[in-house]
Amino acid sequence: MKNYAKSTPEGVRDILFEECLRRRDVSERLTGVFRSRGYNEVITPGIEYYDVFAAGDAAIPQEEMYKATDSRGRLIVLRPDLTPPIARLASVRLADADRPLRLYYDQTVYRSRRELSGRNDETAQAGIELLGASGLRADLEVICCAVDALAACTKRFRLEIGDARLFRALAEKLPLAPDERENIRQKIESKDYAALGDALDALPETVWTRAIRALPRLFGGVEVFSEAERFCAADPALSATLREMRGLYESLSWLGLGDRLMVDLGLVQRNDYYTGVVFSAYVEEHGDAVLMGGRYDDLLARFGQPMPAIGFAADVDALAKTVPAREPVVPEVLVHGAAGYELLAQRMIRRLTREGRTVESSVFETEEEARRYAARRGIAKVVVVDGKAEVEP
Amino acid sequence: MRPLRLALTKGRLEKNTLALLESAGFDCTALREKGRRLVLPVGDALEIVLTKAADAVTYVEHGVCDLGVVGKDTILESDGHFYEILDLGFGRCRFALAAPKGTDFFSGYAEKTVATKYPNVTRRYFDAKGMDVRIVKIEGSVELAPLLGLSDGIVDIVETGETLRENGLCPIEDVAQISARLIVNTASLKLRKKEIETFADRLEAAVKKQEGEK
């Protein structure tokens, strides 16, 4: 049998030194923004019951989840997403807490990806959830927090907003079976204009089929709203949604993002628990969204505590590529204790580190070896403790 | 900012794309005189990377190429996440289910075996039919599998149907229509919308022009 003791499983890896620093740095920048806005950290377990993620529209494809059974045969998974566990926690543990709840997390999630696709199965995510609040104020708070969090890492990002209600409302106008609806949603998601056209050609042409046909092309700046108004005007609910989006877009213009703020009316995510505004952010260094979020007013009801909610998750690993590299720490001083002075050497190290200096302790038998090591390691100063007059490093 | 980068499937799609780019007014001299180079400039604003079909999808998915020209067959098999914004009109053919002449593939309840280079496409097709088939992946000439008695049928790309006929097979049902597509990385479309839309519009106009000439 092949022994795998020397390798890590497909899709996961060790993270060393410089990469660790970057990742911790990004974590700190993001969570600093979250804390400054009154969000409190929660840590949920790495394994959860399968049922947490298997509920209806919020379901995560089961082939993407790492599964096992617990000692009583119940199906458990490595958490593939953080919003459902937090919805569970908010509904059960915090059922009687004062609302709104402002929670943040900084944890890893696990997805089983296609083999050799070059993507990680283990990714670090940091994000917030604002539970028990709806309306423009809550939406603005969370989106502004997302903008601040991104800006804390990089100046060159783009943020786009959309609304899950648009497609939902339009699809309801058409005589579609669930699988046809899903097919059309996929075509909009992949902006496959040709196939979307084919799917819609099979239906009698109405203002609604024309609207859905236009949906994937409706992304860009404020001009998108005037184009969308043409087909939304025929329906009061759609016009209201569009007016809300425009209001949000105009409010967000205040943030000074300029053309880095975009609208995409064809933003229909696979993660179908969103019920209102949805948003994603992109940076040049990464080929996929680095932050995704939205309003999910129906998810909490699944856990027995109906309440509106909105949140986002940032991809910490992807953002780590955008922050400047930091060199791993090289100590300023190497302290070598001569034979019989080992403990005194430790006392000196304690004194120096308490002063805030970075000090390494020599483990070599001779001073000469210690000096050679310091030269290799790039440590500028070697202090020898041998009972002679104490040198001030 | 670097020029827009287009991953282009080598071979037949490459020639057609070249003709389309030239018809759209791009200077493809470097591509015509490429030698062994794999990364070729087309003017200042576009760079072409020559790849195998499945790799074009991979490069676009990861965002190291903004755009790609690949066959719908590769897209269907890859199950990737990207935008597919334009049907380029060439490279037309179809995925079809074929079986030896004179046999009735759909008869009876015994388990059927299907040989294919495209297991994902085949799996989805039979799932949609509610059929439970055994799929065998073959790398080379798939027509051999039923001839040698390994499978009851094949799912493969069919252009004229000549290869099938010569090997005693006949097409039973179309699985999907295929042609070359322009795909775009999701982040690129958002970050470089104007450039990409302008490029896609020029290609679309050239596609229409070519279709008009036919």
Coordinates of all heavy atoms in Angstrom, one line a residue, chain A residues 5-85:
Chain A
A5 N 2.3 9.5 4.1 CA 2.7 10.3 5.2 C 3.4 11.5 4.9 O 3.4 12.5 5.6 CB 3.6 9.4 6.2
K6 N 4.0 11.6 3.7 CA 4.9 12.7 3.3 C 4.1 13.8 2.5 O 4.8 14.7 2.1 CB 6.1 12.3 2.6 CG 7.1 11.5 3.5 CD 8.3 11.2 2.8 CE 9.3 10.5 3.7 NZ 10.5 10.0 3.0
S7 N 2.9 13.5 2.1 CA 2.2 14.5 1.3 C 0.9 15.1 2.0 O 0.4 14.5 2.9 CB 1.9 13.9 -0.1 OG 1.4 12.6 0.1
T8 N 0.4 16.2 1.4 CA -0.9 16.7 1.9 C -1.9 16.3 0.9 O -1.6 16.1 -0.3 CB -0.9 18.2 2.0 OG1 -0.5 18.8 0.7 CG2 0.1 18.7 3.0
P9 N -3.2 16.1 1.3 CA -4.2 15.7 0.4 C -4.4 16.7 -0.8 O -4.1 17.9 -0.6 CB -5.5 15.6 1.2 CG -5.0 15.5 2.6 CD -3.7 16.2 2.7
E10 N -4.9 16.2 -1.9 CA -5.2 17.0 -3.1 C -6.0 18.2 -2.7 O -7.1 18.0 -2.0 CB -5.9 16.1 -4.1 CG -6.1 16.7 -5.4 CD -4.8 16.6 -6.2 OE1 -4.1 15.6 -6.1 OE2 -4.6 17.6 -6.9
G11 N -5.6 19.4 -3.1 CA -6.5 20.6 -2.9 C -6.2 21.3 -1.6 O -6.8 22.4 -1.3
V12 N -5.3 20.8 -0.7 CA -4.9 21.6 0.5 C -3.4 21.6 0.6 O -2.7 20.9 -0.1 CB -5.5 20.9 1.8 CG1 -7.0 21.0 1.8 CG2 -5.0 19.5 1.9
R13 N -2.9 22.5 1.4 CA -1.4 22.7 1.4 C -1.0 23.3 2.7 O -1.8 23.9 3.4 CB -1.0 23.6 0.2 CG -1.5 25.0 0.4 CD -1.7 25.8 -0.9 NE -2.3 27.1 -0.6 CZ -1.6 28.2 -0.5 NH1 -0.3 28.2 -0.6 NH2 -2.2 29.3 -0.2
D14 N 0.4 23.3 2.9 CA 1.0 24.0 4.0 C 1.2 25.4 3.6 O 1.5 25.7 2.4 CB 2.3 23.4 4.3 CG 2.2 21.9 4.7 OD1 1.3 21.5 5.4 OD2 3.1 21.1 4.2
I15 N 1.0 26.3 4.5 CA 1.3 27.7 4.2 C 2.5 28.2 5.1 O 2.4 28.0 6.3 CB 0.1 28.6 4.5 CG1 -1.1 28.1 3.6 CG2 0.4 30.1 4.2 CD1 -2.4 28.8 3.9
L16 N 3.5 28.7 4.5 CA 4.7 29.0 5.3 C 5.0 30.5 5.3 O 4.8 31.2 4.3 CB 5.9 28.2 4.7 CG 6.1 26.8 5.1 CD1 5.1 25.9 4.4 CD2 7.5 26.3 4.8
F17 N 5.7 30.9 6.4 CA 6.3 32.2 6.6 C 5.6 33.4 5.9 O 4.7 33.9 6.4 CB 7.8 32.1 6.2 CG 8.5 30.9 6.7 CD1 9.3 30.1 5.9 CD2 8.2 30.5 8.0 CE1 9.9 29.0 6.5 CE2 8.9 29.4 8.6 CZ 9.7 28.6 7.8
E18 N 6.2 33.8 4.7 CA 5.8 35.0 4.1 C 4.3 35.0 3.7 O 3.6 35.9 3.9 CB 6.7 35.2 2.9 CG 6.6 36.6 2.3 CD 5.9 36.7 1.0 OE1 5.5 35.6 0.5 OE2 5.7 37.8 0.5
E19 N 3.9 33.8 3.2 CA 2.5 33.7 2.8 C 1.6 33.7 4.1 O 0.5 34.3 4.0 CB 2.2 32.3 2.1 CG 2.1 32.5 0.6 CD 1.7 31.1 0.0 OE1 2.5 30.2 0.1 OE2 0.6 31.0 -0.5
C20 N 2.1 33.1 5.2 CA 1.3 33.2 6.5 C 1.1 34.7 6.9 O 0.1 35.1 7.3 CB 2.1 32.5 7.6 SG 1.7 30.8 7.8
L21 N 2.3 35.4 6.8 CA 2.2 36.8 7.2 C 1.2 37.6 6.5 O 0.4 38.3 7.0 CB 3.6 37.4 7.1 CG 4.6 37.0 8.1 CD1 6.0 37.6 7.7 CD2 4.3 37.5 9.5
R22 N 1.2 37.4 5.1 CA 0.2 38.1 4.3 C -1.2 37.7 4.7 O -2.1 38.6 4.8 CB 0.4 37.7 2.9 CG 1.6 38.3 2.2 CD 1.4 38.0 0.7 NE 2.5 38.4 0.0 CZ 2.5 38.8 -1.3 NH1 1.3 38.9 -1.9 NH2 3.5 39.1 -1.9
R23 N -1.4 36.4 4.9 CA -2.8 36.0 5.2 C -3.2 36.6 6.6 O -4.4 37.1 6.7 CB -2.8 34.5 5.2 CG -4.2 33.9 5.5 CD -4.3 32.5 5.0 NE -5.1 31.8 6.0 CZ -5.4 30.5 5.9 NH1 -4.9 29.8 4.9 NH2 -6.1 29.9 6.8
R24 N -2.4 36.5 7.6 CA -2.7 37.1 8.9 C -2.9 38.6 8.8 O -3.8 39.1 9.4 CB -1.6 36.8 9.9 CG -1.4 35.3 10.2 CD -2.5 34.8 11.0 NE -2.4 33.4 11.3 CZ -3.3 32.5 11.2 NH1 -4.6 32.8 10.9 NH2 -3.1 31.2 11.4
D25 N -2.1 39.2 7.9 CA -2.2 40.6 7.7 C -3.6 41.0 7.2 O -4.3 41.9 7.7 CB -1.1 41.0 6.7 CG -1.0 42.5 6.5 OD1 -1.6 43.3 7.3 OD2 -0.4 43.0 5.5
V26 N -4.0 40.3 6.1 CA -5.3 40.5 5.5 C -6.4 40.3 6.5 O -7.4 41.1 6.7 CB -5.5 39.7 4.2 CG1 -7.0 39.7 3.8 CG2 -4.7 40.3 3.1
S27 N -6.3 39.1 7.3 CA -7.3 38.8 8.3 C -7.4 40.0 9.3 O -8.5 40.4 9.6 CB -6.8 37.7 9.2 OG -7.2 36.5 8.6
E28 N -6.3 40.5 9.7 CA -6.3 41.6 10.7 C -6.9 42.9 10.1 O -7.7 43.5 10.8 CB -4.8 41.8 11.1 CG -4.7 42.4 12.5 CD -5.7 42.0 13.5 OE1 -5.9 40.7 13.8 OE2 -6.4 42.9 14.0
R29 N -6.6 43.2 8.8 CA -7.2 44.4 8.2 C -8.7 44.2 8.1 O -9.4 45.2 8.4 CB -6.6 44.5 6.8 CG -5.1 44.9 6.8 CD -4.6 44.9 5.3 NE -3.2 45.0 5.3 CZ -2.5 45.9 4.5 NH1 -3.2 46.8 3.8 NH2 -1.2 45.9 4.5
L30 N -9.1 43.1 7.7 CA -10.6 42.9 7.5 C -11.3 42.9 8.8 O -12.3 43.7 9.0 CB -10.9 41.5 6.8 CG -10.4 41.4 5.3 CD1 -10.6 40.0 4.9 CD2 -11.1 42.4 4.4
T31 N -10.8 42.1 9.8 CA -11.6 42.0 11.0 C -11.5 43.3 11.8 O -12.4 43.6 12.6 CB -11.1 40.8 11.9 OG1 -9.7 41.0 12.1 CG2 -11.3 39.5 11.2
G32 N -10.4 44.1 11.6 CA -10.3 45.4 12.2 C -11.4 46.3 11.8 O -12.0 47.0 12.6
V33 N -11.7 46.2 10.5 CA -12.9 47.0 10.0 C -14.2 46.5 10.6 O -15.0 47.3 11.1 CB -12.9 47.0 8.5 CG1 -14.2 47.6 7.9 CG2 -11.7 47.6 7.8
F34 N -14.3 45.2 10.7 CA -15.6 44.6 11.2 C -15.8 45.1 12.7 O -16.8 45.5 13.1 CB -15.6 43.1 11.2 CG -15.4 42.5 9.8 CD1 -14.9 41.2 9.7 CD2 -15.6 43.3 8.7 CE1 -14.7 40.6 8.4 CE2 -15.4 42.7 7.4 CZ -15.0 41.4 7.3
R35 N -14.7 44.9 13.5 CA -14.8 45.3 14.9 C -15.1 46.8 15.1 O -15.9 47.2 15.9 CB -13.5 45.0 15.6 CG -13.3 43.5 16.0 CD -12.2 43.3 17.0 NE -10.9 43.6 16.3 CZ -10.2 42.8 15.6 NH1 -10.6 41.6 15.4 NH2 -9.1 43.2 15.0
S36 N -14.5 47.6 14.2 CA -14.7 49.0 14.4 C -16.1 49.4 14.1 O -16.6 50.5 14.5 CB -13.7 49.8 13.4 OG -14.2 49.7 12.1
R37 N -16.9 48.5 13.5 CA -18.3 48.8 13.2 C -19.2 48.0 14.1 O -20.4 47.9 13.9 CB -18.6 48.5 11.7 CG -18.0 49.5 10.7 CD -18.2 49.0 9.3 NE -18.0 50.1 8.4 CZ -19.0 50.9 8.0 NH1 -20.2 50.7 8.4 NH2 -18.7 51.9 7.1
G38 N -18.6 47.6 15.2 CA -19.5 47.0 16.3 C -19.8 45.5 16.0 O -20.8 45.0 16.7
Y39 N -19.1 44.8 15.2 CA -19.4 43.4 14.9 C -18.6 42.6 15.9 O -17.4 42.9 16.2 CB -19.1 43.0 13.5 CG -20.1 43.5 12.5 CD1 -20.1 44.9 12.2 CD2 -21.1 42.7 12.1 CE1 -21.1 45.4 11.3 CE2 -22.1 43.2 11.2 CZ -22.1 44.5 10.8 OH -23.1 45.0 10.0
N40 N -19.2 41.5 16.4 CA -18.5 40.6 17.4 C -18.2 39.2 16.8 O -19.0 38.7 16.0 CB -19.4 40.4 18.6 CG -19.4 41.7 19.4 OD1 -18.4 42.2 19.8 ND2 -20.6 42.2 19.6
E41 N -17.0 38.7 17.1 CA -16.6 37.5 16.5 C -17.3 36.2 17.1 O -17.5 36.2 18.3 CB -15.1 37.3 16.6 CG -14.6 36.0 15.9 CD -13.1 35.9 15.8 OE1 -12.4 36.6 16.6 OE2 -12.6 35.2 15.0
V42 N -17.6 35.3 16.2 CA -18.1 34.0 16.6 C -17.2 32.9 15.9 O -16.7 33.2 14.8 CB -19.6 33.7 16.3 CG1 -20.5 34.6 17.1 CG2 -19.8 34.0 14.8
I43 N -17.0 31.8 16.6 CA -16.3 30.7 15.9 C -17.3 29.5 15.9 O -17.8 29.1 17.0 CB -15.1 30.3 16.8 CG1 -14.1 31.5 16.7 CG2 -14.4 29.1 16.2 CD1 -12.8 31.3 17.5
T44 N -17.6 29.0 14.7 CA -18.5 27.8 14.6 C -17.6 26.6 14.4 O -16.5 26.7 14.0 CB -19.5 28.0 13.5 OG1 -18.7 28.1 12.3 CG2 -20.3 29.3 13.7
P45 N -18.2 25.4 14.7 CA -17.3 24.2 14.5 C -16.9 23.9 13.1 O -17.6 24.3 12.2 CB -18.2 23.1 15.1 CG -19.6 23.6 15.1 CD -19.5 25.1 15.2
G46 N -15.8 23.2 12.9 CA -15.3 22.9 11.6 C -16.2 21.8 11.0 O -16.3 21.7 9.8
I47 N -16.8 20.9 11.8 CA -17.7 20.0 11.3 C -19.1 20.3 11.7 O -19.4 20.7 12.9 CB -17.4 18.5 11.6 CG1 -17.2 18.4 13.1 CG2 -16.1 18.1 10.9 CD1 -16.9 16.9 13.6
E48 N -20.1 20.0 10.9 CA -21.5 20.3 11.1 C -22.3 19.2 10.6 O -21.9 18.4 9.8 CB -21.9 21.6 10.4 CG -21.3 22.9 10.8 CD -22.1 23.7 11.8 OE1 -23.3 23.3 12.1 OE2 -21.6 24.8 12.2
Y49 N -23.6 19.1 11.0 CA -24.5 18.1 10.4 C -24.8 18.5 9.0 O -24.9 19.7 8.7 CB -25.8 18.0 11.2 CG -25.7 17.3 12.5 CD1 -25.9 17.9 13.7 CD2 -25.2 15.9 12.5 CE1 -25.8 17.2 14.9 CE2 -25.1 15.2 13.6 CZ -25.3 15.8 14.8 OH -25.1 15.1 16.0
Y50 N -24.8 17.5 8.1 CA -25.1 17.7 6.7 C -26.4 18.5 6.5 O -26.5 19.4 5.6 CB -25.3 16.3 6.1 CG -25.7 16.3 4.7 CD1 -24.8 16.5 3.6 CD2 -27.1 16.1 4.3 CE1 -25.2 16.4 2.3 CE2 -27.5 16.0 3.0 CZ -26.6 16.2 2.0 OH -27.0 16.2 0.7
D51 N -27.4 18.3 7.4 CA -28.7 19.0 7.3 C -28.6 20.5 7.2 O -29.5 21.1 6.6 CB -29.6 18.5 8.4 CG -29.9 17.0 8.4 OD1 -29.4 16.4 7.4 OD2 -30.6 16.5 9.3
V52 N -27.6 21.1 7.9 CA -27.5 22.5 8.0 C -27.3 23.1 6.6 O -27.8 24.2 6.3 CB -26.2 22.9 8.8 CG1 -26.0 24.4 8.8 CG2 -26.5 22.5 10.3
F53 N -26.7 22.3 5.7 CA -26.4 22.8 4.3 C -27.3 22.2 3.3 O -27.1 22.5 2.1 CB -24.9 22.5 4.0 CG -24.0 23.1 5.0 CD1 -23.5 22.3 6.0 CD2 -23.6 24.4 5.0 CE1 -22.6 22.8 7.0 CE2 -22.8 25.0 5.9 CZ -22.3 24.1 6.9
A54 N -28.2 21.4 3.7 CA -29.0 20.6 2.7 C -30.4 21.2 2.5 O -31.2 20.6 1.8 CB -29.1 19.2 3.0
A55 N -30.6 22.4 3.1 CA -32.0 22.9 3.1 C -32.4 23.6 1.8 O -31.8 24.7 1.5 CB -32.2 23.8 4.3
G56 N -33.3 23.0 1.0 CA -33.9 23.7 -0.1 C -33.1 24.5 -1.0 O -32.0 24.0 -1.5
D57 N -33.4 25.8 -1.2 CA -32.7 26.6 -2.2 C -31.3 26.9 -1.7 O -30.5 27.2 -2.5 CB -33.4 28.0 -2.2 CG -34.8 27.9 -2.8 OD1 -35.1 26.9 -3.4 OD2 -35.6 28.8 -2.6
A58 N -31.1 26.8 -0.4 CA -29.7 27.2 0.1 C -28.8 26.0 -0.1 O -27.6 26.1 0.2 CB -29.8 27.5 1.6
A59 N -29.3 24.9 -0.6 CA -28.5 23.7 -0.7 C -27.2 23.9 -1.4 O -27.1 24.6 -2.5 CB -29.3 22.6 -1.3
I60 N -26.1 23.3 -0.9 CA -24.8 23.3 -1.6 C -24.7 22.0 -2.3 O -25.1 21.0 -1.7 CB -23.7 23.6 -0.5 CG1 -23.8 25.0 -0.1 CG2 -22.4 23.2 -1.0 CD1 -23.0 25.4 1.1
P61 N -24.2 22.0 -3.5 CA -24.2 20.7 -4.2 C -23.5 19.6 -3.4 O -22.4 19.9 -2.8 CB -23.4 21.0 -5.5 CG -23.5 22.5 -5.7 CD -23.7 23.1 -4.3
Q62 N -24.1 18.5 -3.2 CA -23.6 17.5 -2.3 C -22.3 17.0 -2.7 O -21.4 16.6 -1.8 CB -24.6 16.4 -1.9 CG -25.1 15.6 -3.0 CD -25.7 14.3 -2.4 OE1 -25.1 13.6 -1.7 NE2 -27.0 14.1 -2.7
E63 N -22.0 17.0 -4.0 CA -20.7 16.5 -4.4 C -19.5 17.4 -4.0 O -18.4 17.1 -4.1 CB -20.7 16.2 -5.9 CG -20.9 17.4 -6.8 CD -22.3 17.7 -7.2 OE1 -23.2 17.3 -6.4 OE2 -22.6 18.3 -8.2
E64 N -19.9 18.7 -3.6 CA -18.8 19.6 -3.2 C -18.5 19.5 -1.7 O -17.7 20.3 -1.2 CB -19.3 21.0 -3.6 CG -19.2 21.3 -5.1 CD -19.5 22.7 -5.4 OE1 -19.4 23.6 -4.5 OE2 -19.7 23.0 -6.6
M65 N -19.3 18.7 -1.0 CA -19.1 18.6 0.5 C -18.2 17.4 0.9 O -18.5 16.3 0.4 CB -20.4 18.6 1.2 CG -21.1 19.9 1.1 SD -22.5 20.0 2.3 CE -23.9 19.7 1.2
Y66 N -17.3 17.6 1.8 CA -16.6 16.5 2.4 C -17.4 16.0 3.5 O -17.8 16.7 4.4 CB -15.3 17.1 3.0 CG -14.2 17.2 2.0 CD1 -13.8 18.4 1.6 CD2 -13.5 16.1 1.6 CE1 -12.8 18.6 0.6 CE2 -12.4 16.2 0.7 CZ -12.1 17.5 0.2 OH -11.0 17.6 -0.7
K67 N -17.7 14.7 3.4 CA -18.7 14.1 4.3 C -18.1 12.9 5.1 O -17.1 12.3 4.7 CB -19.9 13.5 3.5 CG -20.7 14.6 2.9 CD -21.8 14.0 2.0 CE -21.6 13.9 0.6 NZ -20.8 14.7 -0.2
A68 N -18.6 12.7 6.3 CA -18.3 11.5 7.1 C -19.5 11.2 8.0 O -20.5 11.9 7.9 CB -17.1 11.9 8.0
T69 N -19.4 10.1 8.8 CA -20.5 9.9 9.7 C -19.9 10.0 11.1 O -18.8 9.7 11.3 CB -21.1 8.5 9.5 OG1 -20.1 7.6 9.4 CG2 -21.9 8.5 8.2
D70 N -20.8 10.4 12.1 CA -20.3 10.5 13.4 C -20.5 9.1 14.1 O -20.9 8.2 13.4 CB -21.0 11.6 14.2 CG -22.5 11.4 14.5 OD1 -23.0 10.3 14.1 OD2 -23.1 12.2 15.1
S71 N -20.2 9.0 15.4 CA -20.2 7.7 16.0 C -21.6 7.1 16.1 O -21.7 5.9 16.3 CB -19.7 7.9 17.5 OG -20.5 8.9 18.1
R72 N -22.6 7.9 15.8 CA -24.0 7.3 15.8 C -24.5 7.2 14.4 O -25.7 7.0 14.2 CB -24.9 8.1 16.7 CG -24.5 7.9 18.2 CD -25.1 9.0 19.1 NE -26.6 8.9 19.0 CZ -27.3 9.9 19.6 NH1 -26.7 10.9 20.2 NH2 -28.6 9.8 19.5
G73 N -23.7 7.3 13.4 CA -24.1 7.1 12.0 C -24.7 8.3 11.4 O -25.3 8.2 10.3
R74 N -24.7 9.4 12.0 CA -25.3 10.6 11.4 C -24.3 11.3 10.4 O -23.1 11.3 10.7 CB -25.7 11.6 12.5 CG -26.9 11.1 13.3 CD -27.2 12.0 14.5 NE -26.1 12.0 15.4 CZ -26.2 12.4 16.7 NH1 -27.4 12.9 17.1 NH2 -25.2 12.4 17.5
L75 N -24.9 11.9 9.4 CA -24.0 12.4 8.3 C -23.5 13.8 8.8 O -24.3 14.7 9.1 CB -24.8 12.5 7.0 CG -24.1 12.6 5.7 CD1 -23.0 11.6 5.6 CD2 -25.1 12.6 4.6
I76 N -22.2 13.9 8.7 CA -21.6 15.2 9.1 C -20.7 15.7 7.9 O -20.3 14.9 7.1 CB -20.7 15.2 10.4 CG1 -19.7 14.0 10.3 CG2 -21.6 15.0 11.6 CD1 -18.8 13.9 11.5
V77 N -20.5 17.0 7.8 CA -19.7 17.6 6.7 C -18.7 18.5 7.3 O -18.9 19.1 8.4 CB -20.5 18.3 5.7 CG1 -21.5 17.3 5.0 CG2 -21.3 19.4 6.3
L78 N -17.5 18.7 6.6 CA -16.6 19.8 6.9 C -17.4 21.0 6.4 O -17.8 21.0 5.2 CB -15.3 19.6 6.1 CG -14.4 18.5 6.6 CD1 -13.1 18.6 5.8 CD2 -14.1 18.6 8.1
R79 N -17.5 22.1 7.1 CA -18.3 23.2 6.7 C -17.9 23.8 5.4 O -16.8 24.1 5.2 CB -18.3 24.3 7.8 CG -17.0 24.9 8.0 CD -16.9 26.1 8.8 NE -15.5 26.4 9.0 CZ -14.9 26.5 10.2 NH1 -15.6 26.3 11.3 NH2 -13.6 26.7 10.2
P80 N -18.9 23.8 4.4 CA -18.6 24.3 3.1 C -18.9 25.8 2.9 O -18.6 26.4 1.9 CB -19.5 23.4 2.2 CG -20.7 23.2 3.0 CD -20.2 23.2 4.5
D81 N -19.5 26.4 3.9 CA -20.0 27.7 3.8 C -20.2 28.2 5.2 O -20.4 27.4 6.1 CB -21.4 27.7 3.0 CG -21.9 29.1 2.7 OD1 -21.1 30.1 3.0 OD2 -23.0 29.2 2.1
L82 N -20.2 29.5 5.5 CA -20.3 30.0 6.8 C -21.7 30.6 7.2 O -22.1 30.7 8.3 CB -19.2 30.9 7.2 CG -17.9 30.2 7.4 CD1 -16.7 31.0 7.2 CD2 -17.9 29.5 8.7
T83 N -22.4 31.0 6.1 CA -23.7 31.7 6.4 C -24.7 30.8 7.1 O -25.3 31.1 8.1 CB -24.2 32.4 5.1 OG1 -23.2 33.3 4.7 CG2 -25.5 33.1 5.4
P84 N -24.9 29.5 6.5 CA -25.9 28.6 7.2 C -25.5 28.3 8.7 O -26.4 28.4 9.5 CB -25.9 27.4 6.3 CG -25.5 27.9 5.0 CD -24.5 29.0 5.2
P85 N -24.2 28.0 9.0 CA -23.9 27.8 10.4 C -24.2 29.0 11.3 O -24.7 28.9 12.4 CB -22.4 27.5 10.4 CG -22.1 27.0 9.1 CD -23.1 27.7 8.2

